Amino acid sequence: MRRSRFSLIRRLIWQFSAVTLLAAALTTLAYALLKEIELEYELEDLAQQMANRVRRGDSRGPTAPDLELQLDEELQGRIAAMNALHLRVYEAATRRLLLSYDHEAGLPDGVEAIRDWPPGIFTFTLGPSASPIHEFGFIEELPTPTGAWVRIVARRGPPELRDYIYWLSTEFALELGPVLAVVGVASTILAILTVKRGFAPLARISAQAATIAPGQAACLDPAGMPEEILPLVEAINHLLNRLQDALAQQRRFTAVAAHELRTPLAALRARIDALPPTLPQRQGLEAAIERMARLVDQLLAVSRLEGGLVLLDEDLDLCELVQVVAAELAPLAAREDRELTLDLPPHPVVVHGNRDALARAIANLLDNAFRHTPRGTPVEVQVSEAGAVRVLDRGPGLSGHAPDQLFQPFARYGRQHSHGAGLGLAIVRDVARLHGGRVEAQDRPGGGAIFTMELPLAHR
Amino acid sequence: MRLLFVEDDADIADAVRGNLERSGFAVDLAYDLAEAIAATESQKYDLVLLDLGLPDGDGLALVHRLRRRRDPVPILVLTARDAVSDRVSGLESGADDYLVKPFAHAELVARIRALLRRPAQHLGDRITVGRLAYDPGTGTFAVDGQPFELPRRERALLEALVRRAGWVVQRGTLEDALWGFAEEIESNTLESHVSRLRRRLAQADAGVEIRTFRGLGYMLRAIGG
């Protein structure tokens, strides 16, 4: 499965930045186009104004009086304001030049429009031999108050990059830029705050969930949760409830099973105790009862482990635990004429876990050594400061068995001595795993086996 | 000594009662919570043996009831539940001791006697290990009926061992027994006292041995036992 992790806030920041930049780019483009349109309007208006100011001059000849164009100051100012403008006004019928204005003098007459596309950009030919040039401009024939028409040709030269740069530095930086920046920054901050506030309850219930021990009745507090997250919290609470029900059922089952299995054993044991001590069958009966009781113990231990009923709820000193367990098994060691020695560090070795489960695991390791080695051979228990419990014997060793195989349920080896249920080492393995540790078996130099349970030390 | 045994399983109730009667106790049986409550209200018992899983309720309810009435009768819980949490809740509710089924009769009697706080000799008991006998009433030892004299520190050591015969007695406990004489203990004192005691026991042919469990303590047991 591909693991995709992302931060909402980082994602928001770059999305907002991208949107702001895109908006700036689009607005720049729109403004640039608007600028062209504005210039075109201005030119059209100028042409109209000029056409309106065309008059009949004083009649000097016998035929028709001449047309005249006088520009007032306002119009002259407007024409001057249009940078780099070349302007010609002709009488349409006679092609007589009425007005010529050159920002930079020297434009020849006879300019003709060939094409008007895109709007406002004209292709001009300057004289018969010249190649066409594309320029921003205006060509139109307009009626005048005299009844005659004038032809107005205006060129403003090509739109140049510096026009846009100038516009950007003024229009954008001074007017649009600040607005965009404020809106962009403000909305980014708002989005971050909303995300943070929206997810704050999530951090709270995460902390709450981390403190819930398995089997503990608990649910997550949905107070102050945004609607969008509420279904998740409710689903988790539902799940927690079902888990608690399952655990409670498991606990009831284990309790009932313990009662149902141990009570008849207790009755049987009491009956055997009532037999005369000299009765030869008594020992065999007692041994059988003990074996049954052991099997029941181990089965219940497995049931608790697998049912999730073993809670890691205590800081324990492994040295003390090993001493308690070894003291319980010392009478057995004495009966079998074994030397049982403990090799413990001088300081407590503290692990976090379950006392019952760890005591059972240690007892099972010792029990395993007793069962699979001949009477009279020594058994040694070592506790290391790193949290390992090691049981060393002088028996036949692993006799070629794979270490992993020995910890499988019902994997019995060295059958001749074994009366175990085959669950002992599997329980050791499960207990170690439950505590975040591991088990190991190896041959011991000089003969025998070493079984190790390694546990992580408790955090201090 | 009159005991009340609260147990719903007739088979176990009958068998355990027989054993207890042979050990010199008078035993009344109650098969459920209601009978047990009625019995404790009409009769004064020296001790209550209580099974927790009863047909009409949890045996701990009886413990609560007795303790609310400030009845100090010792209560020994006999149960199939063996988790530490069960033990703790049993003891917290006011029970005095806890024994998990199945149990050996000898263990049951030992627990009952401990709870009755009766010195063992009142019940006619001396402790014998091998040919060694100990009278807790007088604090004296005998081998084959002959008085077995010991220096006081070795006697203190042997007392501590014989009281837990068959079980490991931790070093600390033995050192405490020696410390009782308020004398300074050198590092090897315990070992040297133990080895002297071993020699004396062997000379007297007491039929017992003191086993060393290195890192743990010592155990007194009958040779070949």
Side-chain angles (χ1 to χ4, degrees), chain A residues 297-298 301 355-365 427-428, chain B residues 82:
Chain A
D297 282 357
Q298 304 283 39
R355 174 175 286 271
D356 277 347
L358 287 176
R360 176 168 302 278
I362 294 166
N364 284 359
L365 282 177
I427 289 172
V428 177
Chain B
D82 64 349

Side-chain angles (χ1 to χ4, degrees), chain A residues 410-441:
Chain A
F410 304 108
R412 294 159 56 168
Y413 71 106
R415 286 170 175 276
Q416 67 276 18
H417 292 294
S418 173
H419 292 295
L423 289 173
L425 289 178
I427 289 172
V428 177
R429 183 198 61 185
D430 289 353
V431 169
R433 283 185 184 165
L434 181 70
H435 286 78
R438 56 189 211 94
V439 288
E440 200 179 59

Side-chain angles (χ1 to χ4, degrees), chain B residues 112-145:
Chain B
I112 291 174
R113 284 184 177 152
L115 284 181
L116 290 173
R117 297 178 210 286
R118 296 288 195 275
Q121 73 271 24
H122 286 199
L123 294 166
D125 257 21
R126 329 178 82 207
I127 302 172
T128 57
V129 186
R131 284 185 289 282
L132 180 73
Y134 173 66
D135 184 341
T138 59
T140 54
F141 290 93
V143 175
D144 280 338

Side-chain angles (χ1 to χ4, degrees), chain B residues 151-182:
Chain B
R152 53 180 186 157
R153 263 168 291 181
E154 282 158 51
R155 196 176 66 215
L157 202 58
L158 190 55
E159 270 185 42
L161 287 167
V162 83
R163 282 174 187 277
R164 297 264 305 148
W167 293 92
V168 169
V169 186
Q170 299 216 355
R171 279 188 69 94
T173 311
L174 296 176
E175 277 166 358
D176 287 348
L178 291 179
W179 266 107
F181 293 96

Side-chain angles (χ1 to χ4, degrees), chain B residues 1-2 18-27 105 113 123:
Chain B
M1 290 297 127
R2 179 164 287 270
N19 290 346
L20 287 172
E21 282 173 349
R22 271 188 293 282
S23 297
F25 299 100
V27 181
H105 180 63
R113 284 184 177 152
L123 294 166

